[in-house]
Amino acid sequence: MTDPATALADIQARIARTAQIAGRKADAVTLVAVSKTHPAERITPLIAAGQRVFGENRVQEAAEKWPALREAHPDIKLHLVGQLQSNKAEDAVALFDCIHSLDRASLVSALGKAMDKAGRQVPCFVQVNIGAEEQKGGCAIADLPALLAEARSAQLPVIGLMCVPPLGIEPAPFFALLDKLATDHGLAGRSMGMSDDFETAIMLGATHVRVGSALFGARG
Ligand SMILES: *Cc1c(COP(=O)(O)O)cnc(C)c1O
């Protein structure tokens, strides 16, 4: 297994090089280190190497792992990259600093209430089902204007759009489409690109890349 800190240096260098080719600043791209399924001892070397933004896909797992890890490093930011059930909205608002999976009206209202109650604004990406896949989370492209309007009227801080393109197809057209949708709606953030395609995503405007296995090795 590769040492996560060595992998981190490699990913950071690839992000910087790609951003440079794209004429963008390296710090215009946030690396979200997706640590789901990996135990604390795999994560601490990355924290020691300076990584501060991490992603988890389950509220419960994050609640078990992160309070202890964050104690020594209060500047760590935790991002939720997985689907969120409305009944976990309060827990998610308490635990996460950014939510990448806002995808339906019921969740807009649950998160709005949870943020009001907590007195804490958590930036959100609206997840778009960019490949119109039946099984996949994310709001349909046709429903995006209405969902964004709902989020605005609930005063949710929506900072961008997020997608996971279909597996096994060239992802670039899907990244380009997400970039266009974000532009059309005046949103600055684009959460797109994972271990196998983050460089392509950066070329096409990604502001947040979500990288798991390239940092931590395969998930068990
Ligand atoms: C697991 C996950 C990732 C990271 O995937 P890798 O291919 O391991 O880099 C990114 N985004 C989401 C939504 C995920 O669930």
Side-chain angles (χ1 to χ4, degrees), residues 10 25 48 94 100 135 179 194 208 219:
D10 172 61
K25 295 202 167 123
H100 291 239
Q135 310 284 357
D179 178 64
M194 315 201 303
H208 293 67
R219 287 177 289 273

Side-chain angles (χ1 to χ4, degrees), residues 1-43:
M1 233 188 287
T2 323
D3 157 39
T6 306
L8 175 65
D10 172 61
I11 301 287
Q12 284 170 333
R14 288 166 62 190
I15 289 173
R17 191 175 58 222
T18 309
Q20 190 187 23
I21 294 168
R24 306 177 58 207
K25 295 202 167 123
D27 66 4
V29 182
T30 298
L31 170 61
V32 181
V34 180
S35 51
K36 67 189 186 197
T37 76
H38 296 289
E41 60 266 27
R42 298 281 296 159
I43 298 171

Side-chain angles (χ1 to χ4, degrees), residues 34 36 81 162 164 194-195 210-213 219:
V34 180
K36 67 189 186 197
V81 301
M162 177 274 210
V164 181
M194 315 201 303
S195 290
R210 310 177 310 267
V211 178
S213 46
R219 287 177 289 273

Side-chain angles (χ1 to χ4, degrees), residues 35-56:
S35 51
K36 67 189 186 197
T37 76
H38 296 289
E41 60 266 27
R42 298 281 296 159
I43 298 171
T44 43
L46 284 197
I47 298 173
Q51 178 65 24
R52 287 295 178 270
V53 183
F54 291 88
E56 290 282 342

Side-chain angles (χ1 to χ4, degrees), residues 10-216:
D10 172 61
I11 301 287
Q12 284 170 333
R14 288 166 62 190
I15 289 173
R17 191 175 58 222
T18 309
Q20 190 187 23
I21 294 168
R24 306 177 58 207
K25 295 202 167 123
D27 66 4
V29 182
T30 298
L31 170 61
V32 181
V34 180
S35 51
K36 67 189 186 197
T37 76
H38 296 289
E41 60 266 27
R42 298 281 296 159
I43 298 171
T44 43
L46 284 197
I47 298 173
Q51 178 65 24
R52 287 295 178 270
V53 183
F54 291 88
E56 290 282 342
N57 71 334
R58 288 179 56 240
V59 176
Q60 167 111 21
E61 181 183 342
E64 284 162 13
K65 254 166 36 184
W66 280 94
L69 285 166
R70 276 172 131 173
E71 210 157 294
H73 300 279
D75 56 336
I76 284 174
K77 303 290 181 202
L78 207 51
H79 289 222
L80 178 65
V81 301
Q83 282 195 26
L84 177 60
Q85 293 169 280
S86 295
N87 65 4
K88 299 236 171 86
E90 281 191 25
D91 293 340
V93 164
L95 191 59
F96 290 96
D97 303 291
C98 186
I99 292 170
H100 291 239
S101 49
L102 176 59
D103 64 354
R104 58 193 189 278
S106 59
L107 193 53
V108 166
S109 101
L111 283 172
K113 281 182 198 144
M115 289 185 205
D116 283 347
K117 191 171 165 191
R120 174 176 154 79
Q121 291 289 98
V122 180
C124 296
F125 288 89
V126 169
Q127 183 175 351
V128 179
N129 186 353
I130 202 77
E133 295 175 279
E134 281 201 6
Q135 310 284 357
K136 212 157 221 168
C139 116
I141 291 174
D143 299 336
L144 181 60
L147 187 60
L148 286 171
E150 298 224 21
R152 279 193 193 106
S153 69
Q155 296 186 308
L156 281 195
V158 173
I159 60 167
L161 301 180
M162 177 274 210
C163 74
V164 181
L167 271 179
I169 312 180
E170 167 57 46
F174 299 97
F175 295 150
L177 178 55
L178 193 81
D179 178 64
K180 180 185 183 300
L181 291 168
T183 300
D184 289 350
H185 291 283
L187 294 166
R190 289 120 168 94
S191 169
M192 56 188 196
M194 315 201 303
S195 290
D196 291 337
D197 53 22
F198 67 89
E199 286 154 311
T200 304
I202 291 168
M203 292 299 291
L204 290 162
T207 61
H208 293 67
V209 293
R210 310 177 310 267
V211 178
S213 46
L215 284 170
F216 293 100

